[in-house]
């Protein structure tokens, strides 16, 4: 009796493994704007949907690290839908406080950039499968704005 259950579980697992799933990519981090207390940076998640019906996005979580320290993190609950048979772009804004940037002076150095790593978890509700999380990550160097950029 248990071998029949094991066969059934194996059959279902194999079928689910071959179901097409949405795919996503993460753009590099870029400067967006400045405020009184922080700079705002952003990245885009590009999600392609292989299905002919739209899919709900349950949540998007992100963690931004600069010089190994967590600078910003958060959760965007229910950020919308992935368009049917298309690619949907989701923006992830993050705010970096100036006091943190001052602590990064050693990393900034002469070239006026900071090393970063952005980790994202995109959770989608797939029919039959249920919640499916796509882990994404990007890292690199981001140029900080100069006085010239402000005026």
């Amino acid at each position: 009796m248990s071998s029949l259950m094991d066969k059934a579980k194996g059959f279902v697992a194999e079928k689910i493994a071959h179901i097409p799933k949405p795919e996503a990519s993460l753009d590099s981090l870029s400067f967006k704007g400045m405020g009184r207390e922080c700079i705002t940076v952003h990245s885009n998640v590009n999600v392609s949907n292989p299905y002919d019906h739209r899919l709900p996005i349950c949540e998007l979580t992100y963690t931004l690290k600069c010089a190994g320290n967590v600078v910003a993190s958060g959760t965007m609950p229910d950020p919308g839908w992935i368009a049917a048979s298309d690619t949907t772009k989701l923006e992830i804004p993050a705010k970096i406080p100036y006091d943190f940037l001052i602590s990064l002076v050693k990393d900034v150095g002469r070239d006026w950039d900071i090393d970063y790593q952005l980790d994202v978890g995109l959770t989608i509700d797939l029919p039959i499968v249920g919640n499916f999380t796509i882990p994404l990550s990007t890292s690199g160097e981001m140029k900080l704005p100069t006085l010239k950029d402000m005026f």
Side-chain angles (χ1 to χ4, degrees):
M1 188 78 156
S2 68
S3 69
L4 181 61
M5 279 300 270
D6 291 339
K7 285 180 184 179
K9 286 179 185 177
F11 177 76
V12 170
E14 184 179 317
K15 292 299 178 192
I16 288 175
H18 297 294
I19 291 176
K21 296 172 189 73
E23 294 182 0
S25 64
L26 187 60
D27 293 346
S28 59
L29 199 65
S30 60
F31 174 74
K32 185 171 182 185
M34 299 177 73
R36 288 186 180 150
E37 298 172 2
C38 62
I39 67 167
T40 303
V41 295
H42 73 122
S43 180
N44 291 315
V45 177
N46 304 296
V47 191
S48 62
N49 181 358
Y51 299 109
D52 60 359
H53 57 277
R54 65 186 192 154
L55 294 172
I57 303 170
C58 299
E59 72 176 12
L60 187 146
T61 58
Y62 66 91
T63 302
L64 174 62
K65 296 178 185 174
C66 293
N69 297 314
V70 174
V71 178
S73 64
T75 300
M76 296 169 59
D78 193 23
W81 297 80
I82 304 169
S85 302
D86 201 2
T87 299
T88 300
K89 184 180 282 195
L90 301 168
E91 181 184 17
I92 305 171
K95 296 181 180 201
I96 303 175
Y98 289 126
D99 59 349
F100 182 79
L101 289 176
I102 291 168
S103 72
L104 289 178
V105 169
K106 290 179 196 168
D107 183 43
V108 172
R110 285 192 208 141
D111 53 2
W112 208 238
D113 62 24
I114 55 173
D115 298 325
Y116 71 86
Q117 177 175 339
L118 178 61
D119 298 316
V120 174
L122 178 68
T123 304
I124 301 165
D125 185 11
L126 289 178
I128 300 171
V129 176
N131 287 354
F132 175 72
T133 301
I134 302 172
L136 301 163
S137 186
T138 185
S139 60
E141 291 181 343
M142 183 188 66
K143 287 281 186 199
L144 293 173
T146 62
L147 288 175
K148 215 173 15 174
D149 299 325
M150 290 186 242
F151 301 106

